[in-house]
Amino acid sequence: MTRADGFWTVFVREVRAAIRTRAYLGLLAVLAAALFGVARAGGGPAGGYVPTVVDLLVVVEVLVPTVAFAVGYRAIADPAARGELDVLETYPLPSWAYVGGVYAGRSAVLLTLVGLPLAALGVQVATTAGPETTVFASHRGVDSPLLYVRFLALTLWYALIALSLAFVLSALAGSRGRALVLALAGLLVVTVGGDVAVFAGLDGGLVTSETLGGALAMTPAGAYRGLVFDQVLYVAVPGRSAFVSGAVAVGSLLFWWVGSLVATELVTDTR
Amino acid sequence: MTGETYLSANEVGKTYGDVTALSDVSLDVPADAVTGLIGPNGSGKTTLLRVLLGLERPTGGTVEYGGPDAVRRLGYLPQRPTFRPGFTVRETIGFYADLVDDDPDRLLERVGLGDVADRPVDGLSGGMTRLLGIAQALAGDPPVVVLDEPASGLDPAMSELIFDVVASIADEGRAVALSSHELALVERTADRLAVLESGAVVTVDTPQALRERTGGPLHETFTSLLERESAVVTATEVGDA
């Protein structure tokens, strides 16, 4: 038995549990209905990939972290409350293998929940939009399926980052009740708290118009939004440049992603 | 009893802020024997077991493992074992068995749960859940098995069955440490008893030797030991005043 075997044992149990959880089917249906409903209301699918992304961006910024927190807020708090973490400490299973296995399993669930409806929406655009959207553009100013694939990839990454934030809060909670309260507070901070803090800084003079882009890129939602503008929306609009630096946004998202997972492992290990 | 000590606590102390949970506790857990911890609620039994397991770091003293090398040195049954819902008994024990390359069917047969392997864990009775917890504690064949209140809240027949299983675990050469309020069963099963009161070990002896102190059943000895301890504490406090 290697430590990697322990990781896979935990991962397989998470996936098995997810397959048996009917609530995830409900979550998938609600998310799909919301995304298709918003896209249809905005008329995006008929207009092309970029108009669809424009319709979806704000909704996705809120819905994706919400689904990620729903999937992950009890991931560590539940086994802690059951006493399972104490029992597992007597096994040759390092905490990184446990946290990693649970995270990988729930990531598979989350990627399915978020990826399936967005991919289906992409297929709808392909079948309903004008013929110019079928061009696989390699230059600015043209709508393209590749832009939608970029949006999908960035959104899935944003989902994984939100899940890692949910994990660290779950590890800190230690009980189901506190896990729910921390998850709701965390969700509020991720979806609107970052922007509110930046604009409060702007109002108070801590953030200037020169540093606004960098400050927005420091928050997960701001960095994600900045990258979607940089890599998807402005690619199709000649002469526009992104409001945040792509490199800073990627660095920020990596920091939140890796930092949250490392923090989850440390909190779980020192319980 | 082989006399070989597999686990020992040496002058262990544990405090939580101003509260002293354990004070200068020394205890050996020998192989091929059941070491029982008895004492009133809040006397420090669970804390001592958790310190022995390494789940709590002592604020003083040391805990040493002296048993053979093993994939898993210590097996643990918590006071209220709870398993992840939505899985069968076999899948549940299979998860733990996979972590230490053990055979789940062997573990279920060992505690008599082979016939309910396909039952969901959320549908098990309290006694069966405890037996599944013991099967989990035996996964990987650990030389030391620690059981926290293995029969609390169970009917007499199930309590007896649990203690029979516990005795057979020690007969296989393991060192078993357990805490319990089931004095009659502990008296029958344990080879050595440690009486705890207010985080300190009052005495350690065989059940027979403890019984002979009062000439009656173990609970009389237990009560008289604790009364004597309280009297000493009261006398000390009066003397200090």
Side-chain angles (χ1 to χ4, degrees), chain B residues 75-92:
Chain B
Y76 173 44
L77 171 73
Q79 207 170 99
R80 290 182 194 83
T82 313
F83 296 99
R84 186 168 183 163
F87 289 93
T88 66
V89 168
R90 194 182 183 289
E91 286 169 335
T92 299

Side-chain angles (χ1 to χ4, degrees), chain B residues 35-208:
Chain B
T35 302
L37 306 183
I38 57 175
N41 291 330
S43 58
K45 301 186 295 296
T46 294
T47 306
L48 178 55
L49 292 181
R50 289 178 63 82
V51 167
L52 287 170
L53 284 160
L55 300 177
E56 302 269 356
R57 196 170 295 170
T59 41
T62 56
V63 173
E64 286 171 22
Y65 174 81
D69 272 343
V71 176
R72 184 187 180 203
R73 288 177 166 183
L74 309 168
Y76 173 44
L77 171 73
Q79 207 170 99
R80 290 182 194 83
T82 313
F83 296 99
R84 186 168 183 163
F87 289 93
T88 66
V89 168
R90 194 182 183 289
E91 286 169 335
T92 299
I93 200 64
F95 169 73
Y96 292 101
D98 276 355
L99 294 173
V100 283
D101 281 337
D102 208 333
D103 176 8
D105 292 323
R106 180 190 76 85
L107 293 167
L108 290 182
E109 292 299 334
R110 179 69 189 75
V111 297
L113 289 181
D115 292 340
V116 296
D118 294 326
R119 198 180 286 188
V121 282
D122 5 358
L124 291 181
S125 67
M128 284 182 170
T129 303
R130 215 62 69 87
L131 286 169
L132 183 58
I134 293 175
Q136 171 282 121
L138 295 175
D141 211 9
V144 179
V145 175
V146 174
L147 312 159
D148 193 359
E149 303 274 3
S152 69
L154 302 180
D155 65 66
M158 184 54 86
S159 297
E160 205 157 313
L161 173 63
I162 297 269
F163 270 85
D164 286 346
V165 173
V166 170
S168 69
I169 292 170
D171 289 344
E172 292 164 355
R174 292 189 185 87
V176 177
L178 64 85
S179 67
S180 182
H181 289 293
E182 312 284 336
L183 292 185
L185 290 169
V186 174
E187 182 178 5
R188 197 190 72 186
T189 310
D191 300 287
R192 297 165 69 248
L193 285 175
V195 183
L196 272 83
E197 165 72 351
S198 303
V201 173
V202 177
T203 187
V204 182
D205 218 328
T206 63
Q208 188 183 353

Side-chain angles (χ1 to χ4, degrees), chain A residues 194-259:
Chain A
D195 286 351
V196 168
V198 170
F199 287 113
L202 195 62
D203 194 39
L206 283 173
V207 178
T208 64
S209 55
E210 286 78 33
T211 59
L212 177 62
L216 283 171
M218 292 294 115
T219 67
Y224 162 72
R225 190 187 313 125
L227 282 175
V228 171
F229 271 84
D230 185 40
Q231 297 296 312
V232 180
L233 301 182
Y234 287 168
V235 173
V237 183
R240 295 298 298 269
S241 60
F243 64 89
V244 300
S245 152
V248 173
V250 168
S252 168
L253 289 178
L254 280 173
F255 167 80
W256 288 111
W257 195 21
V258 177

Side-chain angles (χ1 to χ4, degrees), chain A residues 51-152:
Chain A
T52 304
V53 172
V54 170
D55 288 343
L56 291 179
L57 185 55
V58 174
V59 178
V60 161
E61 258 187 56
V62 176
L63 279 186
V64 165
T66 305
V67 173
F69 272 71
V71 170
Y73 84 98
R74 279 170 38 173
I76 306 295
D78 250 7
R82 274 200 304 272
E84 183 179 290
L85 296 184
D86 286 342
V87 168
L88 288 176
E89 271 203 48
T90 65
Y91 284 81
L93 178 72
S95 54
W96 68 258
Y98 180 76
V99 170
V102 175
Y103 181 75
R106 303 224 174 187
S107 292
V109 176
L110 181 61
L111 294 179
T112 307
L113 289 175
V114 175
L116 272 183
L118 282 177
L121 202 51
V123 171
Q124 195 197 9
V125 174
T127 54
T128 57
E132 67 275 11
T133 59
T134 59
V135 176
F136 282 80
S138 59
H139 55 283
R140 284 179 171 270
V142 181
D143 195 7
S144 161
L146 281 180
L147 298 180
Y148 193 79
V149 170
R150 281 186 190 176
F151 168 68
L152 183 59

